């Protein structure tokens, strides 16, 4: 990669700080279409090898029920939920990740509601808390990099979630890496 060594080094430093200090680091890669955001992130992720769990979600430009679409993609990838899986089976996988966590059942229930696996309120402070706690539980197993793409299309509640995770995550090595256009 030519001309992006400093940016690549900054991403690496953020990941190393998250891993060393067991904190959340939040980095936004901002640039217009075609400037190389995706390439930069791909190069960075390639340097991690087996040293981290990498999950991806992207914001959609339009649609109904898309507030937590990026979270749904991350959760489905993390626990291996297939498209044809029953809601009960998918919920069990979400629950398994937080088994043994304080308030694990509540965390799993709110995450399942937020991503459409269960009925219930899906946009509340408790939902933001639950998604954060779910990500922290995953990150405690191995450093976690969550890539959210097309953040410029993120719903306000989703952007609140990203800010909440960045501000309040503790005790878990987590890098939130967001890509956006101006």
């Amino acid at each position: 990669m030519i001309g992006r060594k400093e940016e690549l080094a900054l991403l690496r430093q953020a990941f190393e700080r998250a891993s060393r200090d067991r904190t959340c680091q939040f980095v936004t890669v901002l640039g217009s279409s075609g400037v190389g955001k995706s390439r930069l992130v791909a190069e960075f992720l390639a340097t991690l090898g087996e040293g981290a769990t990498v999950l991806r979600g992207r914001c959609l430009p339009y649609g109904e029920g898309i507030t937590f679409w990026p979270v749904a993609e991350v959760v489905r990838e993390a626990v291996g939920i297939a498209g044809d899986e029953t809601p009960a089976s998918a919920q069990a996988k979400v629950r398994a990740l937080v088994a043994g966590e304080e308030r694990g059942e509540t965390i799993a229930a709110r995450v399942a509601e937020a991503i459409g696996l269960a009925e219930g309120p899906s946009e509340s402070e408790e939902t933001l808390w639950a998604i954060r706690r779910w990500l922290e539980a995953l990150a405690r197993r191995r450093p976690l990099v969550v890539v959210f793409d097309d953040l410029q299309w993120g719903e306000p509640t989703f952007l609140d979630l990203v800010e909440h995770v960045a501000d309040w995550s503790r005790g878990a090595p987590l890098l939130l890496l967001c890509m956006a256009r101006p």
Side-chain angles (χ1 to χ4, degrees):
M1 204 157 134
I2 299 171
R4 300 286 184 161
K5 289 182 181 178
E6 287 181 33
E7 290 86 351
L8 201 55
L10 288 172
L11 292 175
R12 188 71 191 164
Q13 288 170 2
F15 175 75
E16 289 169 358
R17 185 176 306 121
S19 296
R20 179 187 65 237
D21 299 343
R22 300 187 62 75
T23 61
C24 180
Q25 299 295 310
F26 176 45
V27 177
T28 302
V29 179
L30 182 64
S32 56
S33 179
V35 77
K37 297 180 300 291
S38 296
R39 173 71 191 274
L40 173 66
V41 170
E43 289 289 330
F44 163 68
L45 296 176
T47 68
L48 299 177
E50 296 296 316
T53 299
V54 177
L55 301 171
R56 295 175 166 271
R58 65 182 170 80
C59 298
L60 300 178
Y62 58 88
E64 196 169 316
I66 62 169
T67 299
F68 291 117
W69 182 265
V71 175
E73 290 184 320
V74 164
V75 171
R76 290 175 191 279
E77 183 180 356
V79 297
I81 298 172
D84 60 348
E85 195 152 352
T86 67
S89 172
Q91 289 173 26
K93 289 180 177 182
V94 171
R95 254 192 325 275
L97 194 128
V98 289
E101 293 282 325
E102 182 180 340
R103 296 190 63 200
E105 285 296 317
T106 302
I107 293 167
R110 291 298 130 347
V111 170
E113 291 164 3
I115 66 171
L117 295 176
E119 294 295 318
S122 63
E123 294 184 22
S124 69
E125 285 296 315
E126 189 170 80
T127 300
L128 304 184
W129 165 84
I131 294 169
R132 174 180 57 83
R133 290 287 309 275
W134 194 88
L135 290 171
E136 289 171 348
L138 183 58
R140 280 192 285 277
R141 296 175 178 198
R142 185 163 86 161
L144 176 62
V145 178
V146 178
V147 179
F148 288 127
D149 199 359
D150 291 326
L151 205 64
Q152 74 277 0
W153 289 326
E155 297 280 320
T157 301
F158 174 73
L159 299 177
D160 289 345
L161 167 69
V162 171
E163 185 177 337
H164 175 83
V165 172
D167 288 346
W168 292 98
S169 288
R170 303 286 186 270
L174 172 60
L175 174 62
L176 289 179
L177 180 51
C178 297
M179 294 187 288
R181 295 178 188 170

